[in-house]
Coordinates of all heavy atoms in Angstrom, one line a residue:
Chain A
R132 N 67.5 28.8 5.1 CA 68.9 28.7 4.7 C 69.5 30.0 4.2 O 70.5 30.5 4.8 CB 68.9 27.6 3.6 CG 70.4 27.5 3.3 CD 70.7 26.1 2.6 NE 72.0 26.0 2.1 CZ 72.5 25.0 1.5 NH1 71.8 23.9 1.4 NH2 73.7 25.0 1.2
H136 N 71.6 32.6 6.2 CA 73.0 32.7 5.8 C 73.3 34.1 5.5 O 74.4 34.6 6.0 CB 73.1 31.8 4.6 CG 74.5 31.9 3.9 ND1 74.8 32.9 3.0 CD2 75.6 31.3 4.0 CE1 76.0 32.7 2.6 NE2 76.5 31.8 3.2
I139 N 73.9 36.1 8.7 CA 75.1 35.8 9.5 C 76.3 36.6 9.2 O 77.1 37.0 10.2 CB 75.4 34.2 9.5 CG1 74.4 33.5 10.2 CG2 76.8 33.9 9.9 CD1 74.5 32.0 10.3
T140 N 76.5 37.0 8.0 CA 77.7 37.7 7.7 C 77.8 39.1 8.2 O 78.8 39.4 9.0 CB 77.9 37.8 6.1 OG1 78.0 36.5 5.6 CG2 79.2 38.5 5.7
V142 N 76.1 40.0 10.8 CA 76.1 39.9 12.2 C 77.5 39.5 12.7 O 77.9 39.9 13.8 CB 75.0 38.6 12.6 CG1 75.3 38.2 14.1 CG2 73.6 39.1 12.5
G143 N 78.1 38.6 12.0 CA 79.5 38.3 12.2 C 80.4 39.5 12.1 O 81.2 39.6 13.1
C144 N 80.2 40.4 11.3 CA 81.0 41.7 11.3 C 80.9 42.5 12.5 O 81.9 42.9 13.1 CB 80.5 42.6 10.0 SG 81.1 42.0 8.4
N146 N 79.9 41.2 15.4 CA 80.5 40.6 16.5 C 81.9 40.7 16.5 O 82.7 41.1 17.6 CB 80.1 39.1 16.3 CG 80.4 38.2 17.3 OD1 80.4 38.6 18.6 ND2 80.9 37.0 17.2
T147 N 82.6 40.5 15.4 CA 84.1 40.5 15.3 C 84.5 42.0 15.6 O 85.5 42.3 16.2 CB 84.6 40.0 13.9 OG1 84.0 38.8 13.6 CG2 86.1 39.9 13.9
S148 N 83.8 43.0 15.1 CA 84.1 44.3 15.4 C 84.2 44.7 16.8 O 85.0 45.4 17.3 CB 83.1 45.4 14.7 OG 83.1 45.2 13.3
C150 N 84.8 42.6 19.3 CA 85.9 41.9 19.7 C 87.1 42.8 19.4 O 88.0 43.0 20.5 CB 86.1 40.6 19.2 SG 84.8 39.4 19.5
V151 N 87.2 43.2 18.3 CA 88.5 44.0 18.0 C 88.6 45.3 18.7 O 89.5 45.8 19.2 CB 88.6 44.2 16.5 CG1 89.8 45.0 16.0 CG2 88.5 43.0 15.7
I154 N 90.0 45.3 22.2 CA 91.4 45.3 22.3 C 92.2 46.4 21.7 O 93.3 46.6 21.8 CB 92.0 44.0 21.9 CG1 91.7 43.7 20.4 CG2 91.5 42.8 22.7 CD1 92.6 42.6 19.7
M155 N 91.4 47.2 21.0 CA 92.1 48.3 20.2 C 92.4 49.4 21.1 O 91.5 49.9 21.7 CB 91.1 48.7 19.1 CG 91.6 49.8 18.2 SD 92.8 49.2 17.0 CE 92.0 48.0 16.0
S162 N 91.5 53.7 13.1 CA 91.0 52.2 13.1 C 89.7 52.1 13.9 O 88.8 51.4 13.5 CB 92.0 51.3 13.9 OG 93.3 51.3 13.2
A165 N 87.0 53.3 11.7 CA 86.8 52.3 10.6 C 85.9 51.2 11.1 O 85.0 50.6 10.5 CB 88.1 51.8 10.0
I166 N 86.2 50.8 12.4 CA 85.3 49.7 13.0 C 84.0 50.1 13.2 O 83.0 49.5 13.0 CB 86.1 49.2 14.3 CG1 87.4 48.6 14.0 CG2 85.1 48.2 15.1 CD1 88.2 48.3 15.2
N169 N 82.1 50.1 10.1 CA 81.8 48.8 9.9 C 80.6 48.2 10.6 O 79.6 47.8 10.0 CB 83.0 47.8 10.2 CG 83.0 46.6 9.5 OD1 82.0 46.0 9.2 ND2 84.2 46.1 9.1
D172 N 77.5 50.2 8.8 CA 77.2 49.5 7.6 C 76.5 48.2 7.8 O 75.6 47.8 7.0 CB 78.5 49.3 6.8 CG 79.1 50.6 6.4 OD1 78.4 51.6 6.5 OD2 80.3 50.5 5.8
S173 N 77.1 47.3 8.7 CA 76.4 46.0 8.9 C 75.1 46.0 9.5 O 74.2 45.3 9.0 CB 77.4 45.1 9.8 OG 78.7 45.1 9.4
E176 N 72.8 46.9 6.8 CA 72.6 45.7 5.8 C 71.6 44.8 6.5 O 70.8 44.3 5.8 CB 73.9 45.0 5.6 CG 73.9 44.0 4.6 CD 75.3 43.2 4.4 OE1 76.3 43.9 4.9 OE2 75.2 42.2 3.9
M287 N 75.3 33.7 -16.7 CA 74.5 34.3 -15.5 C 73.1 34.5 -15.9 O 72.4 34.7 -15.0 CB 75.2 35.6 -15.1 CG 76.6 35.5 -14.7 SD 76.9 34.6 -13.3 CE 76.4 35.9 -12.0
H302 N 74.0 29.2 -4.2 CA 74.3 30.4 -3.3 C 74.5 31.5 -4.3 O 74.7 32.7 -3.9 CB 75.5 30.3 -2.6 CG 75.5 29.1 -1.5 ND1 74.7 29.2 -0.5 CD2 76.0 27.8 -1.6 CE1 74.9 28.0 0.2 NE2 75.6 27.2 -0.6
T303 N 74.3 31.4 -5.6 CA 74.8 32.5 -6.5 C 73.7 33.5 -6.6 O 74.1 34.7 -6.9 CB 75.2 31.9 -7.8 OG1 74.2 31.1 -8.3 CG2 76.4 31.0 -7.8
Chain B
D7 N 87.0 37.1 0.8 CA 85.5 37.1 1.0 C 85.0 38.1 0.1 O 85.5 39.1 -0.1 CB 85.3 37.3 2.4 CG 83.9 36.9 2.9 OD1 82.9 37.2 2.1 OD2 83.6 36.2 3.8
H9 N 82.3 39.8 0.8 CA 81.7 40.8 1.6 C 82.7 41.9 2.1 O 83.6 41.4 3.0 CB 81.0 40.1 2.7 CG 80.0 41.0 3.4 ND1 80.4 42.0 4.3 CD2 78.6 41.1 3.3 CE1 79.3 42.5 4.8 NE2 78.2 42.0 4.1
P10 N 82.8 43.0 1.5 CA 84.0 43.9 1.9 C 84.0 44.2 3.3 O 85.2 44.3 3.9 CB 83.6 45.2 1.1 CG 82.4 45.0 0.4 CD 81.9 43.6 0.6
N11 N 82.9 44.3 4.1 CA 83.0 44.6 5.5 C 83.7 43.4 6.3 O 84.4 43.7 7.2 CB 81.7 44.9 6.1 CG 81.2 46.3 5.8 OD1 81.9 47.2 5.4 ND2 79.9 46.6 5.9
L12 N 83.3 42.2 5.9 CA 83.9 41.1 6.6 C 85.4 40.9 6.4 O 86.1 40.7 7.3 CB 83.1 39.8 6.2 CG 83.5 38.7 7.1 CD1 82.6 38.6 8.3 CD2 83.5 37.3 6.4
S14 N 87.3 43.4 5.7 CA 88.1 44.4 6.5 C 88.2 44.2 7.9 O 89.2 44.3 8.4 CB 87.3 45.8 6.1 OG 87.0 46.5 7.2
I15 N 87.1 43.8 8.5 CA 87.1 43.6 9.9 C 88.0 42.3 10.3 O 88.7 42.3 11.3 CB 85.8 43.5 10.7 CG1 85.8 43.7 12.2 CG2 85.0 42.2 10.3 CD1 86.4 45.0 12.6
T16 N 88.0 41.3 9.4 CA 88.8 40.0 9.7 C 90.2 40.4 9.6 O 91.0 40.0 10.4 CB 88.3 39.0 8.7 OG1 87.0 38.7 8.7 CG2 89.1 37.5 9.1
M18 N 91.5 43.2 10.1 CA 91.8 44.1 11.3 C 92.0 43.2 12.6 O 93.0 43.3 13.3 CB 90.6 45.0 11.6 CG 91.1 46.3 11.9 SD 89.7 47.5 12.2 CE 89.8 48.4 10.6
A19 N 91.2 42.2 12.6 CA 91.3 41.3 13.8 C 92.6 40.5 13.7 O 93.3 40.3 14.7 CB 90.1 40.4 13.8
A22 N 95.4 42.6 14.6 CA 95.4 42.7 16.2 C 96.2 41.4 16.7 O 96.6 41.5 17.8 CB 94.0 42.9 16.7
N53 N 81.4 30.7 0.1 CA 80.5 31.5 -0.9 C 81.1 32.8 -1.3 O 81.1 33.8 -0.5 CB 79.1 31.7 -0.1 CG 78.1 32.4 -1.0 OD1 78.3 32.5 -2.2 ND2 77.1 33.0 -0.3
G55 N 80.0 35.0 -3.7 CA 79.0 35.6 -4.4 C 78.8 34.7 -5.8 O 78.3 33.6 -5.6
A56 N 79.2 35.3 -7.0 CA 79.0 34.3 -8.1 C 79.9 33.3 -8.2 O 79.8 32.4 -9.1 CB 79.1 35.3 -9.3
E57 N 81.1 33.3 -7.5 CA 82.1 32.3 -7.5 C 82.0 31.3 -6.3 O 81.4 31.7 -5.3 CB 83.5 33.0 -7.4 CG 83.6 34.0 -8.6 CD 85.1 34.5 -8.6 OE1 85.4 35.4 -7.7 OE2 86.0 34.1 -9.3
A80 N 79.1 30.0 6.7 CA 78.0 30.5 7.5 C 77.0 29.2 7.7 O 76.0 29.3 8.3 CB 77.3 31.7 6.9
Q81 N 77.4 28.2 7.1 CA 76.5 26.9 7.1 C 76.9 26.1 8.3 O 78.0 26.1 8.6 CB 76.7 26.1 5.9 CG 76.1 27.0 4.6 CD 76.6 26.4 3.3 OE1 76.4 25.1 3.2 NE2 77.1 27.1 2.4
E85 N 77.8 20.3 7.1 CA 77.5 20.3 5.7 C 78.7 20.7 4.9 O 78.9 20.1 3.8 CB 76.5 21.6 5.6 CG 75.1 21.2 5.7 CD 74.3 22.4 5.4 OE1 74.2 22.8 4.3 OE2 73.7 23.0 6.4
K101 N 81.0 31.2 10.8 CA 80.6 32.7 11.0 C 79.4 32.6 12.0 O 78.6 31.7 11.8 CB 80.1 33.2 9.7 CG 81.2 33.5 8.8 CD 80.6 34.2 7.5 CE 81.6 34.3 6.4 NZ 80.9 34.8 5.1
P102 N 79.1 33.5 12.9 CA 80.1 34.6 13.2 C 81.2 34.0 14.1 O 80.8 33.1 14.9 CB 79.1 35.6 14.0 CG 78.1 34.7 14.5 CD 78.0 33.5 13.6
F103 N 82.4 34.5 14.0 CA 83.5 34.1 14.9 C 84.1 35.3 15.7 O 83.8 36.5 15.2 CB 84.6 33.4 14.0 CG 84.9 34.4 12.8 CD1 85.8 35.5 12.8 CD2 84.4 34.2 11.6 CE1 86.1 36.2 11.9 CE2 84.7 34.9 10.4 CZ 85.6 36.0 10.5
N104 N 84.6 35.0 16.7 CA 85.3 36.0 17.6 C 86.8 35.9 17.6 O 87.3 35.1 16.8 CB 84.8 35.9 19.0 CG 85.0 34.5 19.6 OD1 85.9 33.9 19.2 ND2 84.1 34.1 20.5
L105 N 87.5 36.7 18.3 CA 88.9 36.7 18.3 C 89.5 35.4 18.7 O 90.5 34.9 18.2 CB 89.5 37.8 19.2 CG 89.6 39.3 18.5 CD1 90.2 40.3 19.5 CD2 90.4 39.3 17.2
L108 N 89.4 33.0 15.9 CA 90.5 33.3 14.9 C 91.8 33.0 15.4 O 92.7 32.4 14.6 CB 90.4 34.8 14.6 CG 89.7 35.4 13.4 CD1 89.9 36.9 13.4 CD2 90.1 34.7 12.1

Side-chain angles (χ1 to χ4, degrees):
Chain A
R132 180 156 178 179
H136 172 273
I139 281 176
T140 299
V142 166
C144 283
N146 189 34
T147 312
S148 296
C150 296
V151 180
I154 57 161
M155 182 71 64
S162 299
I166 295 170
N169 200 320
D172 290 348
S173 300
E176 190 181 338
M287 302 287 289
H302 301 284
T303 54
Chain B
D7 195 308
H9 196 285
N11 280 345
L12 191 86
S14 123
I15 196 63
T16 307
M18 220 176 260
N53 177 19
E57 301 184 284
Q81 296 166 46
E85 274 183 68
K101 293 178 192 175
F103 48 83
N104 56 29
L105 275 183
L108 262 184

